Amino acid sequence: MIARLADGVPRKGLWLLAALLLLLTLFPLFASGYLLAIGFLILYFAYVGQAWNVMMGFAGQLSLGHSLYVGLGAYAAAALYVHFGVSPWIGLGAAIGISMLAGAAIGFLAFRFGVAGVYFAILTIAFAEFARIGFDHFAWVRGSSGLFLPVANYTENDLWNLRGSPVMFYYLMLAMTAGAFVLCHALLRSRMGYYWLAIRESPEAAAALGVNVFRYKMYAVVISAAMTSLSGVVFAFYYNNLFPEQIFHISRSIELILGPIIGGIGTLVGPIVGAFLLTGLAEGLRELMLQLGIDVPGVKQVFYGLCLLLVIMFLPDGVWPPLARKLGLHR
Amino acid sequence: MSRLELRGVSKSFRGLKAVSAASFDVAPGGIHALIGPNGAGKTTIFNVVAGVYAPDAGEVLFDGRAIHGLRPDQVCAAGVGRTFQIVRPFAGLSVLDNVTVGALQAIKDVPAAKKHAAGIIEKLGLSAKRDLPASSLTLPDRKRLEVARALATRPKLLLLDEVMAGLRPTECDQIVAIFRELNRAEGLTILLIEHVMRAVMALAQRIVVLHHGEVIAQGTPDEVVRDPAVLESYLGEETEV
Ligand SMILES: Nc1ncnc2c1ncn2[C@@H]1O[C@H](COP(=O)(O)OP(=O)(O)OP(=O)(O)O)[C@@H](O)[C@H]1O
Ligand SMILES: [Mg+2]
């Protein structure tokens, strides 16, 4: 199974991946608290970017409302923990279930009634906005005043309840990012992966070759939603506070798709490269400005916009595909 | 029993009758041609058979089973492969991956499907371009790719929509030979739309002539080229025999 996963992957690529994994594993040993937080953020965006990529990069369905699944996952697990003391790993079941249902509802509405392209993207925004407004008035999770998780000064890491140090969260996020990479790699090589790419390139031709387009688009949405909701669970337990205004906000949906766009939509490495570039550079810039004592609000957004502009103008496939060719790697 | 039978099939687009009450059948193991001037409704008939459109009236039977109203993927699964007149390659995928998508219809296991696809690519003379993206192919090669993908699904009936347009005469003869061989060796039934009369006369055992959406003649090539209605409406204008 493992051996088959590595089939046909260039040797050099495997070594580079192993080196990267080793580096990221050792990172907390010499990173400060601040660097560790940035490391967590990079991995977080690499993970959600990968999850979003399943829908857009593989199956060609543009979602601009992925904050919906982050938020639903976060709220489901946090509410169960706050109200009943349920472990987030059990809460994860609810998180995934609810997100998959939401994804299935959106997918069904759109794909059954032929809502595609821009209109589909707008529909995904609409659902995230419904959730934002709905959760603002959802008293059980404290509405707009926000849901807070109890925090203490943890001396020990409790992985079962996700209570502990940033280092624990960092390693959890690293494991998730690595897991998502392997999962997506396997998906892409499966029958379903071929069918997704076919649908992305031409739904008519795919259907003529026996692909049930509706079904495989649904799989893409539901799998992407489930993966995304896991990042929401970790997000909730890492930050310990949730506000509908923030977590469901459209800017969050946009933020999480920038990584894969800049790294390379539809590639496995693109979301990771994109997360490193964007989050790494943005945080570096912020730190630099702090040191220089310059305070310009909105500088991060401007920076994101600039990166996007440069990539779209000069590297329309993203940073990774040309880089991969330079390194002599395929995907 | 016919492999394919159309009974009084009609299809309109906003009042425009693209196909009206068309009836004909294709025998198992036969090679039949569908000819007619531009806009006669040939491609529309393929689209109705392949499940892209449901007919407004009439029936489509495949091995005696009604298939009108099925989705395209269901029609494919039933055993009908089709090519598109306006080619629709999976542009970003390699030639091998394009054909593998088709092969996965017949063979669920990915490595086995790839092997099957590679064999078909070989047969159609695309092996040298196997790993190139489909977007880099010339139009004649894209037409070959259409055929390869459809063949990879292991159809019982293959619908070919002008796959020889744009081919040089020698290339045309090559692909004619491939279809003959598939028909002979595997009993593949073929219905082809073609303007290139050279190919039609070389391949077709029977010809159906369509004009303004109506079947105006059908029979053996000899019968059809002598049919007065055909001579007047079609062959008279652009004889390419
Ligand atoms: N999707 C559609 N919407 C509206 N009109 C259509 C559609 N498809 C075909 N038509 C019309 O139906 C008629 C038949 O078209 P069709 O494509 O079947 O002709 P054809 O015989 O394949 O012609 P050609 O030899 O040019 O390929 C034409 O008048 C065409 O404009
Ligand atoms: Mg046509």
Side-chain angles (χ1 to χ4, degrees), chain B residues 77-98:
Chain B
V80 181
R82 66 92 46 105
T83 66
F84 290 94
Q85 178 180 357
I86 299 173
V87 293
R88 298 178 187 275
F90 303 128
L93 307 191
S94 71
V95 168
L96 180 62
D97 286 351
N98 266 267

Side-chain angles (χ1 to χ4, degrees), chain A residues 4 112 189-192 194-195 197-213 215 331, chain B residues 71-73 76 82 84 88-93 97-98 100-102 104-105 108-111 114 149-150 153:
Chain A
R4 200 164 150 180
R112 254 294 165 261
R189 292 181 154 217
S190 70
R191 186 163 179 254
M192 181 145 69
Y194 276 90
Y195 280 4
L197 298 183
I199 290 168
R200 180 189 76 191
E201 299 289 319
S202 169
E204 295 85 1
L209 296 174
V211 179
N212 184 336
V213 174
R215 178 187 297 171
R331 223 172 247 288
Chain B
R71 292 189 313 263
D73 57 293
C76 174
R82 66 92 46 105
F84 290 94
R88 298 178 187 275
F90 303 128
L93 307 191
D97 286 351
N98 266 267
T100 301
V101 172
L104 284 166
Q105 165 59 38
K108 312 295 172 200
D109 177 58
V110 173
K114 271 191 158 170
R149 280 194 319 200
T153 65

